[in-house]
Amino acid sequence: LAACGSGGPATSAGGGGAKEVTVFAAASLTGTFTELGKAFEAAHPGTTVRFNFGSSATLAQQIVQGAPADVFAAASPATMKTVTDASLASAPVTFARNTLQIAVPAGNPARVDELKDLADPRVKVALCAEQVPCGAAAAKALAAAGLKITPVTLEQDVKATLTKVQLGEADAALVYKTDVIAAAGKVEGIDFPEAGQAVNDYPIAALAKAPAGGAAKEFVDLVLSQQGRGVLTKAGFEAAPR
Amino acid sequence: MTLDARLIVNRPAFTLDIALEVAPGEVVALLGPNGAGKTTALRALAGLTALSGGHIALDGRPLHTRPADQRPVGMVFQDYLLFPHLSALDNVAFGPRCRGASRSEARRTAAALLERVGLAAHATAKPRRLSGGQAQRVALARALAVEPRLLLLDEPLAALDAHTRLEIRSGLRRHLADFDGATVLVTHDPLDAMVLADRLIVVENGAIVQQGAPAEVARRPRTDYVARLVGLNLYRGLGDGARIKVGELAFSTIEQLDGPAFVAFSPAAVALYRTRPDGSPRNLWQAVIDGIERHGDNVRVHLDGPVAAFVDITPAALADLDLTPGQRIWASVKATETHAYPA
Amino acid sequence: MTLDARLIVNRPAFTLDIALEVAPGEVVALLGPNGAGKTTALRALAGLTALSGGHIALDGRPLHTRPADQRPVGMVFQDYLLFPHLSALDNVAFGPRCRGASRSEARRTAAALLERVGLAAHATAKPRRLSGGQAQRVALARALAVEPRLLLLDEPLAALDAHTRLEIRSGLRRHLADFDGATVLVTHDPLDAMVLADRLIVVENGAIVQQGAPAEVARRPRTDYVARLVGLNLYRGLGDGARIKVGELAFSTIEQLDGPAFVAFSPAAVALYRTRPDGSPRNLWQAVIDGIERHGDNVRVHLDGPVAAFVDITPAALADLDLTPGQRIWASVKATETHAYPA
Amino acid sequence: MSAAPDRRLAGRPPWVLVVPALLGLAFLVLPLAGLLIRAPWPTLPARLAEPQVLEALRLSLVTATIATAVCLVLGVPLAWMLARVDLPGRRLVRALVTVPLVLPPVVGGVALLLVLGRRGLIGQWLESAFGVTLPFTTAGVVVAEAFVAMPFLVISVEGALRAADRRYEEAAATLGASRWTVFRRVTLPLVAPGVMAGAVLCWARALGEFGATITFAGNFPGTTRTMPLAVYLALETEPEAAIVLSLVLLAVSVIILAGLRDRWVTSP
Amino acid sequence: MSAAPDRRLAGRPPWVLVVPALLGLAFLVLPLAGLLIRAPWPTLPARLAEPQVLEALRLSLVTATIATAVCLVLGVPLAWMLARVDLPGRRLVRALVTVPLVLPPVVGGVALLLVLGRRGLIGQWLESAFGVTLPFTTAGVVVAEAFVAMPFLVISVEGALRAADRRYEEAAATLGASRWTVFRRVTLPLVAPGVMAGAVLCWARALGEFGATITFAGNFPGTTRTMPLAVYLALETEPEAAIVLSLVLLAVSVIILAGLRDRWVTSP
Ligand SMILES: Nc1ncnc2c1ncn2[C@@H]1O[C@H](COP(=O)(O)OP(=O)(O)OP(=O)(O)O)[C@@H](O)[C@H]1O
Ligand SMILES: Nc1ncnc2c1ncn2[C@@H]1O[C@H](COP(=O)(O)OP(=O)(O)OP(=O)(O)O)[C@@H](O)[C@H]1O
Ligand SMILES: [Mg+2]
Ligand SMILES: [Mg+2]
């Protein structure tokens, strides 16, 4: 059961003692997880970490369809639920949280200062679609603020939303703090109090049928370790409560 | 009989229904105007068009039930259809290869055939580099390479200029004489048919209207089409001893005929007179000049009147008579110059 | 002169260089074998192929500097190229529309022209519904509809069968006679050229090899090509009084010529003998039979020997003489049957 | 002229061709079967009745059709230039035409933003001069779809133009037709089937366009949310809904194409 | 036979065609200019030197080429069937061939997973019988690219087959060639230019394929991360890097296409 077929996919544990850990991670984790992967490899000589970055929903689909993954790090509890519902993982742990910020183009041309400025019909606001985690979070935050705003677009993911601000198409957007930090210099981030009520949790789990077995668990442990937290906070994530 | 066929092809606006028998070594020409069904008949023989009815038997075995690639038939298409991507040699070797010969065997056969049609020097040339006459000979070699029992040629000379045509025609004649299967040749050039065929079958509108030896057909045309083809005036009338009534005219002839009959005479046999002549010619009528055109060294005058006729006269005669279109004139033909036969 | 042109077109493997003068109302036929450059010359006149040199003047004004759509030229293409998506009427109306006529005006012009070529009844038919002859007449009407000063026809009869051809040829003859501009006609059928043209220009390999009135060209061919076309045996030799030396033979002629000269005679003028005859014919030579083919009602014998020659004899004579290919035979021509002229 | 060959006599199609052909067909069609099996049939009617579905479908059909029209207006002349005018560097131009084909659509969308966005090279000027902004509008959807789909039209039409018999154009020129008249009254009618086939490819591609559209025009119900966008978002939360939407899109396009294609492909 | 018309005499191209053609060209090419302007030229050499770039490029070229080969093997016979065999319901089959064109690629990827995934209709069986799994392998990339790109090949080749002169095939049949021999030795050589043109479209589309690939084959460096996937990931972290990668992809494909296309399009 553990090793999945001789002609199996490239991610299966290689022969000759070298081990492989296959991590399916949300695209927003590209930077941080790549760094953590290097750390893991350094700590476990002979083991390589292979990442499959993509949309959390796609990754969940792939896992349900039998993808040979060891670890799944999702950008929302909902997508993780797809996997746990299929009994492919149990006991996911939240390893990071991401809070929203208002992102405005460098120089803030529309003079946005706080959340309610977004209700001004002259301000073009980009939001994530409610189907994706950042959109769900934004909806929660707006509801908490009692604001009803009409965005010009509901983007497929947070990067697309940010691109709109970066290129000046939108005057403001609600995106994650991590994204604002990553795009430092091109966008400015504005904190707002209601963000606290719309925190997005990132769950991680070693998968039940993980071909890499114990190594999967070890990777999850690394993410949850102090070292992991350090990398994540540096990128703007909030550490998950212990 | 090598070939014994009854070809029936029904199309929305056209029906072909002809019977065809060809002896071994015989060359039969299908002659007819555009749209008569000549190509359709050949395609039916080759298996490229389905029969609606009838049968085809070759050497006593039924052919019409087999698909095209399993008929022992060679076909030369009107514009040759040499495969543009193959050399002359490979074009000719194509058939033997398909019929199971090894590559070298097929090439040997092909080289021998190209030699026979005098094109050994052009074996490696691609079709686009061949002149029309050369292409025609390659097409013939290609068709012969499969050792067919039935050879079909669709207007094999139509694409050639008058000069090349003369040469290629006699070459073709020689090759056909060497071939011991049945040959069916389609053409609308009477000269090609006369030179190449042992027997003519004239098809009009999907049906046979006349057949026979070339000289016989040329001498005794039975339809306007054939008459024009061989350059005769032809009328159909009612024989009554040595006279044949055609409309209001009665032609005197030397033949004695009763009942429906044809009378034919050459345009050169007609004499024209400005006033009613008083001489021996027995066949005399008044006509109106419909048109005048040069015709070789002579002048051809079109006559309207009780019968339409062509008349060939010399330019000198034209000048003497001072003919102009619309003018009334007398025309006569000696009875000895007419040729009458039963319809 | 309506048309005065010197056409030079250089191609990698071919050069056309001909001078052309056509008077108003005159019809000039360009005659020549495949690839001679006839079509190239017409295309150059129409502006579809660029001149490499030379000039074209029509009614005294230079034409070669103008693009095709601004030349007062009408062209009938070999396969007519009627626009398949337009009715016969709209095909004819196309030119006048392009030259600025209103829609109704153009249609009136077109209807009148269709009437003139006898196709008023087919005005609404699409080209695919027209027979070859009808299509040819529509193409002619379309070319005439722009009131050209120069009419160009590329093999206008080549696509027709022998039957239709006769009729259409005389119709075309009539229409060309009515046209007062210059006409250049390309053909490789000598009969078409004889019937339709006032003057023939024979082009071979991009250059003019002979020109003159049809009868003149037919009587005095100057190249093998022309001789074959008109059905004559032709030799070039050296005149010396009433004798012309051709290789080892010396032909006696009635004309007195000195220096380079041609001698021509008809295949029918040659008599064949199994043994050396002892008679009046002055021109006698021994030859080998190269081939025998039927030729109309007669038989054509190809001779090889000191000169190559065609001989036409009757089938009866063939039977009497019992000729077979490869046989040695004596051939003779009476001096009165030969025709000699300076080369 | 050539008679249509009669297939009854032509012999059975050879297995060596039929087998790969059927494999190919299966390869293209089986995934559709996968979708059909997974489709939540019981809830299908309810899902289809949702107004957003109809809205997205309507928007998709309208924008794909307008985008095809835009491609025809700009692409047919471009194809004509490539086929008929002796351009220097024609090979390079033709290769450049395929750029939107190779560019990942999302990058295509970014590139469009860089040029036609509010701060873009041309978009800037469009806004200040005409007050026109394309992103986040239905017009933006059309632009994105046209950008991605136009290469198909241009390449198909260029092929048709090269295959067309140039001699009809020459005949028209001798009748006094200018190049424009020749194009309008002779060339275009003659290559109409090729143009139609190109338009079909173009329309189908525009209908399925996702990446460039969402990147350049965004995603707002009623103005810019076409079916593929709706499908993508549904995929995030409810894969079944995504399958239903995809099937609707496919059904509509197959019905439209099956109704139209044969006439175009078979006319000579 | 028809002489090539001389363009010097043909009059100037009319503005009414040149203007839309240039607009169309600008529309296709200007976004590329936008990317070029935004490209981080100073850091470009360093970025290009990164081994992953070369790796992704190599993988893209290899998979697109193999996918094109697969499409040729399956698609040409399919096009032949559509063009030459009297199928019942041919119009429907032809419309179904366009399915991958209309299906949003991500959904296409999901559909492929449903059919060829480890738990899929056929994938299950493939694994148990042959031990072959396609998803998340380089072979999976090829499958995804072939699925998306095949319609272009099939439609182009069918068009070429319909335009080809059938009489050569008849001539071959009278020489005793079976339908397979006719196809192999006559039809295929005659429509080679059309097949080549279709293969070019197919290759370009495969090269730019993203959605179906990432969904069906995942995004593993070295095995399944093609250039478009690398572009997508770069977009997550460094948009400049994404532009560089896109430009590399475009440059390579334009160079290859400019080197090849003219020969194919112009040969008759
Ligand atoms: N594929 C076809 N479908 C329907 N009718 C056809 C087809 N091909 C030919 N015909 C019709 O069948 C008739 C006979 O045509 P066919 O080609 O056999 O004539 P033909 O005697 O060879 O004429 P031509 O001298 O012009 O070659 C014509 O009326 C023609 O219009
Ligand atoms: N487009 C072209 N490019 C190069 N050479 C050509 C072209 N068209 C014709 N030629 C060559 O020019 C020469 C003259 O051809 P042209 O078509 O004028 O001959 P033609 O006298 O009309 O012959 P035909 O009787 O076959 O119509 C030939 O050697 C031919 O191969
Ligand atoms: Mg025919
Ligand atoms: Mg010519």
Side-chain angles (χ1 to χ4, degrees):
Chain A
L1 178 64
C4 67
S6 49
T11 51
S12 65
K19 292 187 84 178
E20 254 180 23
V21 182
T22 304
V23 179
F24 279 36
S28 51
L29 297 168
T30 306
T32 50
F33 268 46
T34 305
E35 195 178 334
L36 286 172
K38 293 214 176 85
F40 187 84
E41 283 172 359
H44 299 80
T47 304
T48 40
V49 183
R50 297 170 55 84
F51 288 106
N52 181 25
F53 293 112
S55 138
S56 298
T58 303
L59 298 175
Q61 274 281 329
Q62 290 174 339
I63 292 168
V64 171
Q65 288 300 322
D70 297 310
V71 177
F72 179 35
S76 72
T79 42
M80 180 58 86
K81 191 164 175 297
T82 317
V83 175
T84 49
D85 283 355
S87 312
L88 292 168
S90 53
V93 189
T94 301
F95 66 94
R97 324 175 88 177
N98 214 342
T99 35
L100 294 176
Q101 266 192 333
I102 301 171
V104 295
N108 195 359
R111 315 230 166 287
V112 173
D113 292 323
E114 48 184 341
L115 194 58
K116 73 172 169 25
D117 290 347
L118 302 191
D120 185 334
R122 285 169 304 180
V123 178
K124 287 189 173 177
V125 180
L127 296 181
C128 294
E130 283 195 33
Q131 288 90 337
V132 296
C134 70
K140 247 191 267 174
L142 290 170
L147 274 178
K148 207 170 154 39
I149 65 174
T150 310
V152 290
T153 177
L154 298 164
E155 293 290 317
Q156 90 227 29
D157 60 35
V158 66
K159 285 296 168 192
T161 315
L162 194 68
T163 302
K164 298 291 190 298
V165 176
Q166 264 182 29
L167 296 178
E169 289 313 324
D171 299 317
L174 291 183
V175 299
Y176 292 130
K177 202 167 164 182
T178 51
D179 300 307
V180 176
I181 290 173
K186 298 191 196 88
V187 300
E188 295 170 11
I190 301 166
D191 284 313
F192 61 99
E194 294 83 354
Q197 290 168 45
V199 186
N200 183 41
D201 289 342
Y202 280 64
I204 190 168
L207 296 175
K209 297 176 183 173
K217 190 80 191 62
E218 285 169 37
F219 185 82
V220 173
D221 289 343
L222 173 70
V223 173
L224 295 171
S225 71
Q226 204 55 42
Q227 188 187 2
R229 285 164 163 252
V231 171
L232 287 161
T233 18
K234 194 167 51 155
F237 287 101
E238 238 174 63
R242 268 268 133 114
Chain B
M1 277 306 136
T2 296
L3 177 72
D4 172 11
R6 167 88 185 279
L7 307 172
I8 303 178
V9 177
N10 291 318
R11 290 232 178 84
F14 172 81
T15 302
L16 175 78
D17 183 353
I18 64 175
L20 212 57
E21 294 195 342
V22 189
E26 191 186 22
V27 178
V28 167
L30 287 184
L31 201 68
N34 287 125
K38 308 179 296 294
T39 297
T40 304
L42 279 202
R43 291 176 57 87
L45 287 172
L48 299 173
T49 292
L51 287 183
S52 313
H55 66 273
I56 306 170
L58 192 64
D59 296 325
R61 280 192 301 270
L63 209 67
H64 53 285
T65 49
R66 298 199 228 162
D69 58 311
Q70 283 159 40
R71 299 190 182 190
V73 167
M75 184 149 174
V76 175
F77 293 83
Q78 175 160 3
D79 26 16
Y80 311 139
L81 300 179
L82 296 179
F83 305 127
H85 57 290
L86 298 181
S87 69
L89 186 75
D90 286 335
N91 261 285
V92 180
F94 188 95
R97 283 288 283 151
C98 289
R99 312 248 174 190
S102 74
R103 172 178 293 253
S104 60
E105 210 180 314
R107 294 204 155 191
R108 255 198 317 278
T109 312
L113 271 161
L114 281 182
E115 177 83 51
R116 205 170 114 197
V117 298
L119 282 178
H122 296 75
T124 58
K126 286 280 167 66
R128 93 194 74 208
R129 311 267 314 269
L130 298 173
S131 78
Q134 292 166 342
Q136 196 267 1
R137 283 180 281 165
V138 174
L140 181 67
R142 186 175 71 169
L144 290 174
V146 297
E147 297 181 5
R149 296 295 306 143
L150 173 60
L151 184 63
L152 306 172
L153 303 111
D154 195 359
E155 313 245 7
L157 302 168
L160 307 177
D161 65 48
H163 181 47
T164 321
R165 204 160 174 155
L166 264 175
E167 286 189 17
I168 300 295
R169 184 154 48 208
S170 42
L172 184 59
R173 168 89 205 142
R174 250 191 335 269
H175 295 302
L176 293 185
D178 290 350
F179 177 66
D180 61 354
T183 303
V184 181
L185 167 91
V186 155
T187 177
H188 50 224
D189 183 329
L191 191 57
D192 290 347
M194 303 283 176
V195 170
L196 296 171
D198 301 308
R199 188 152 52 88
L200 302 191
I201 297 187
V202 183
V203 180
E204 281 181 53
N205 213 352
I208 294 177
V209 294
Q210 183 167 7
Q211 53 181 310
E216 169 66 16
V217 171
R219 267 218 345 276
R220 301 185 153 200
R222 301 187 73 83
T223 72
D224 254 11
Y225 166 74
V226 184
R228 298 247 195 130
L229 220 49
V230 298
L232 292 181
N233 291 301
L234 175 75
Y235 310 101
R236 194 191 161 99
L238 212 59
D240 173 18
R243 297 172 72 85
I244 294 177
K245 280 187 77 78
V246 178
E248 53 194 83
L249 279 185
F251 280 95
S252 301
T253 62
I254 37 179
E255 291 89 353
Q256 299 279 332
L257 283 170
D258 284 302
F262 287 112
V263 56
F265 51 86
S266 148
V270 185
L272 295 181
Y273 307 91
R274 290 181 66 86
T275 53
R276 194 177 211 286
D278 189 18
S280 70
R282 303 282 303 279
N283 302 311
L284 186 70
W285 71 97
Q286 199 173 20
V288 177
I289 294 179
D290 197 31
I292 301 174
E293 59 173 9
R294 222 170 309 166
H295 185 67
D297 282 345
N298 291 325
V299 173
R300 172 158 283 188
V301 181
H302 298 237
L303 296 186
D304 206 356
V307 294
F310 295 120
V311 180
D312 285 353
I313 57 174
T314 60
L318 180 73
D320 281 354
L321 287 166
D322 190 20
L323 300 180
T324 50
Q327 191 178 330
R328 308 200 121 257
I329 195 127
W330 288 91
S332 80
V333 186
K334 294 204 300 183
T336 52
E337 299 267 23
T338 67
H339 178 49
Y341 45 96
Chain C
M1 278 304 136
T2 297
L3 176 72
D4 171 11
R6 167 89 185 277
L7 307 173
I8 303 177
V9 177
N10 292 318
R11 290 230 178 85
F14 172 81
T15 301
L16 175 78
D17 183 353
I18 63 174
L20 210 59
E21 292 196 344
V22 190
E26 193 186 20
V27 177
V28 167
L30 287 183
L31 201 67
N34 288 124
K38 309 181 294 294
T39 298
T40 304
L42 279 203
R43 290 175 57 86
L45 287 173
L48 298 173
T49 291
L51 287 183
S52 312
H55 66 273
I56 306 170
L58 190 65
D59 296 326
R61 281 192 302 269
L63 210 65
H64 53 284
T65 51
R66 298 198 228 164
D69 58 312
Q70 281 159 41
R71 300 189 181 189
V73 166
M75 184 150 175
V76 175
F77 293 83
Q78 176 159 0
D79 25 16
Y80 312 141
L81 300 179
L82 296 179
F83 303 127
H85 57 289
L86 298 181
S87 69
L89 187 75
D90 287 335
N91 261 285
V92 180
F94 188 96
R97 283 289 282 152
C98 289
R99 311 249 174 190
S102 75
R103 172 178 291 254
S104 60
E105 210 180 314
R107 295 203 154 193
R108 254 199 317 279
T109 312
L113 271 161
L114 281 181
E115 177 84 51
R116 205 169 114 195
V117 298
L119 282 177
H122 295 76
T124 58
K126 287 280 168 67
R128 93 194 75 212
R129 311 267 314 270
L130 297 173
S131 77
Q134 291 165 343
Q136 196 267 1
R137 283 181 282 165
V138 174
L140 180 67
R142 186 175 72 169
L144 290 174
V146 297
E147 297 181 4
R149 297 294 305 143
L150 172 62
L151 184 63
L152 307 171
L153 303 110
D154 194 359
E155 313 245 7
L157 302 169
L160 307 178
D161 65 47
H163 181 47
T164 320
R165 202 159 175 158
L166 266 174
E167 286 189 17
I168 301 296
R169 184 155 48 208
S170 42
L172 184 58
R173 169 87 206 141
R174 248 188 339 268
H175 294 303
L176 292 184
D178 291 351
F179 177 65
D180 60 355
T183 302
V184 181
L185 168 90
V186 156
T187 177
H188 51 225
D189 183 329
L191 192 57
D192 290 347
M194 304 284 175
V195 170
L196 295 171
D198 300 309
R199 186 153 52 89
L200 302 192
I201 298 187
V202 184
V203 181
E204 280 181 54
N205 213 353
I208 295 178
V209 294
Q210 183 168 9
Q211 53 181 312
E216 171 65 16
V217 172
R219 263 210 357 268
R220 302 186 153 200
R222 301 187 73 84
T223 74
D224 254 10
Y225 165 74
V226 183
R228 299 247 195 130
L229 221 50
V230 299
L232 292 181
N233 291 301
L234 175 75
Y235 310 100
R236 194 192 160 99
L238 211 60
D240 171 20
R243 299 172 72 85
I244 295 177
K245 282 187 79 75
V246 178
E248 52 196 85
L249 280 184
F251 280 95
S252 301
T253 60
I254 37 178
E255 292 89 353
Q256 299 276 333
L257 283 170
D258 284 302
F262 286 113
V263 56
F265 51 87
S266 149
V270 186
L272 296 180
Y273 307 90
R274 290 180 67 85
T275 53
R276 193 177 212 285
D278 189 20
S280 69
R282 305 282 303 277
N283 302 310
L284 183 70
W285 71 98
Q286 198 173 19
V288 177
I289 296 180
D290 197 30
I292 302 173
E293 58 172 10
R294 222 170 310 164
H295 186 68
D297 281 345
N298 292 325
V299 174
R300 172 158 285 187
V301 181
H302 299 237
L303 296 185
D304 206 356
V307 295
F310 295 121
V311 180
D312 286 353
I313 57 175
T314 61
L318 180 72
D320 281 354
L321 288 165
D322 189 21
L323 299 179
T324 50
Q327 192 178 330
R328 307 202 122 256
I329 194 127
W330 289 91
S332 79
V333 186
K334 294 204 301 184
T336 52
E337 300 267 21
T338 67
H339 180 48
Y341 43 96
Chain D
M1 287 289 168
S2 88
D6 192 287
R7 288 185 192 80
R8 277 187 296 147
L9 283 184
R12 294 202 63 76
W15 288 114
V16 59
L17 285 177
V18 170
V19 169
L22 292 180
L23 270 180
L25 188 61
F27 179 46
L28 292 178
V29 172
L30 265 186
L32 184 62
L35 290 181
L36 285 174
I37 289 171
R38 275 302 174 101
W41 295 105
T43 61
L44 197 74
R47 284 179 197 277
L48 289 184
E50 285 178 29
Q52 294 100 306
V53 174
L54 213 69
E55 195 179 57
L57 185 61
R58 195 192 53 79
L59 187 68
S60 277
L61 293 175
V62 168
T63 52
T65 307
I66 298 178
T68 306
V70 170
C71 288
L72 284 170
V73 169
L74 301 182
V76 172
L78 181 54
W80 176 85
M81 281 240 305
L82 286 175
R84 291 284 188 274
V85 181
D86 246 340
L87 297 174
R90 169 162 34 176
R91 280 165 54 183
L92 182 66
V93 172
R94 198 185 289 122
L96 284 175
V97 165
T98 61
V99 159
L101 212 62
V102 178
L103 207 60
V106 173
V107 180
V110 171
L112 281 175
L113 280 178
L114 291 175
V115 173
L116 295 173
R118 265 213 297 187
R119 309 256 172 100
L121 294 175
I122 293 175
Q124 240 170 6
W125 171 79
L126 275 182
E127 184 169 23
S128 62
F130 304 101
V132 173
T133 49
L134 290 172
F136 312 127
T137 61
T138 306
V141 177
V142 171
V143 167
E145 291 180 347
F147 176 69
V148 172
M150 197 147 104
F152 299 109
L153 185 89
V154 174
I155 292 176
S156 302
V157 174
E158 195 201 343
L161 283 171
R162 287 190 179 275
D165 192 339
R166 306 277 307 259
R167 296 175 310 150
Y168 288 105
E169 301 180 4
E170 295 181 355
T174 66
L175 293 169
S178 64
R179 289 187 87 170
W180 164 238
T181 309
V182 171
F183 173 79
R184 194 169 43 92
R185 294 202 54 205
V186 177
T187 313
L188 211 50
L190 287 180
V191 300
V195 173
M196 290 294 195
V200 164
L201 273 181
C202 179
W203 184 80
R205 180 69 185 89
L207 200 61
E209 196 346 83
F210 163 69
T213 309
I214 197 161
T215 307
F216 180 63
N219 168 32
F220 196 77
T223 48
T224 62
R225 182 179 297 169
T226 56
M227 283 298 270
L229 272 59
V231 168
Y232 182 85
L233 287 176
L235 213 49
E236 291 287 323
T237 48
E238 293 180 278
E240 272 79 26
I243 290 177
V244 172
L245 291 177
S246 304
L247 289 178
V248 169
L249 185 62
L250 286 184
V252 169
S253 102
V254 165
I255 289 170
I256 292 178
L257 294 183
L260 293 175
R261 280 295 309 280
D262 219 47
R263 177 143 44 96
W264 301 347
V265 170
T266 48
S267 69
Chain E
M1 287 292 166
S2 86
D6 193 286
R7 288 184 193 79
R8 276 187 296 147
L9 283 184
R12 293 201 65 77
W15 287 112
V16 59
L17 285 176
V18 170
V19 168
L22 292 180
L23 271 179
L25 188 60
F27 179 45
L28 292 177
V29 172
L30 265 187
L32 184 62
L35 290 181
L36 286 174
I37 289 171
R38 276 300 175 102
W41 294 106
T43 61
L44 197 74
R47 286 180 197 276
L48 289 184
E50 284 178 31
Q52 294 100 309
V53 174
L54 214 67
E55 194 179 56
L57 185 62
R58 194 191 54 81
L59 188 68
S60 277
L61 292 175
V62 168
T63 53
T65 305
I66 299 178
T68 305
V70 170
C71 288
L72 284 171
V73 169
L74 301 181
V76 172
L78 180 54
W80 177 84
M81 282 240 305
L82 286 174
R84 291 284 188 275
V85 182
D86 246 339
L87 297 174
R90 169 164 31 181
R91 279 164 54 184
L92 183 65
V93 172
R94 197 184 291 121
L96 284 175
V97 165
T98 61
V99 159
L101 211 62
V102 178
L103 205 61
V106 173
V107 180
V110 171
L112 282 174
L113 272 181
L114 291 177
V115 173
L116 295 174
R118 277 217 294 181
R119 314 254 166 100
L121 295 175
I122 293 175
Q124 242 170 6
W125 171 81
L126 275 181
E127 184 167 20
S128 62
F130 304 101
V132 173
T133 49
L134 289 173
F136 313 112
T137 62
T138 305
V141 177
V142 171
V143 166
E145 289 180 348
F147 176 70
V148 171
M150 198 149 101
F152 298 109
L153 186 88
V154 174
I155 293 176
S156 303
V157 174
E158 194 201 342
L161 283 170
R162 288 189 178 275
D165 193 338
R166 305 278 306 260
R167 296 175 310 150
Y168 288 105
E169 301 180 4
E170 296 181 355
T174 66
L175 294 169
S178 64
R179 288 186 88 171
W180 164 238
T181 309
V182 171
F183 173 79
R184 193 169 44 89
R185 295 204 50 207
V186 177
T187 313
L188 211 49
L190 287 180
V191 300
V195 173
M196 290 293 194
V200 163
L201 273 181
C202 181
W203 184 80
R205 180 69 185 86
L207 202 61
E209 189 357 75
F210 164 69
T213 309
I214 196 169
T215 308
F216 182 64
N219 179 7
F220 292 104
T223 48
T224 67
R225 183 178 298 165
T226 57
M227 284 298 270
L229 271 60
V231 168
Y232 164 80
L233 271 196
L235 225 38
E236 288 288 331
T237 48
E238 298 177 274
E240 271 80 25
I243 290 179
V244 172
L245 292 177
S246 304
L247 288 178
V248 169
L249 186 63
L250 286 184
V252 169
S253 102
V254 165
I255 287 169
I256 293 178
L257 293 183
L260 293 176
R261 279 297 307 283
D262 217 48
R263 178 142 44 97
W264 301 347
V265 169
T266 46
S267 69

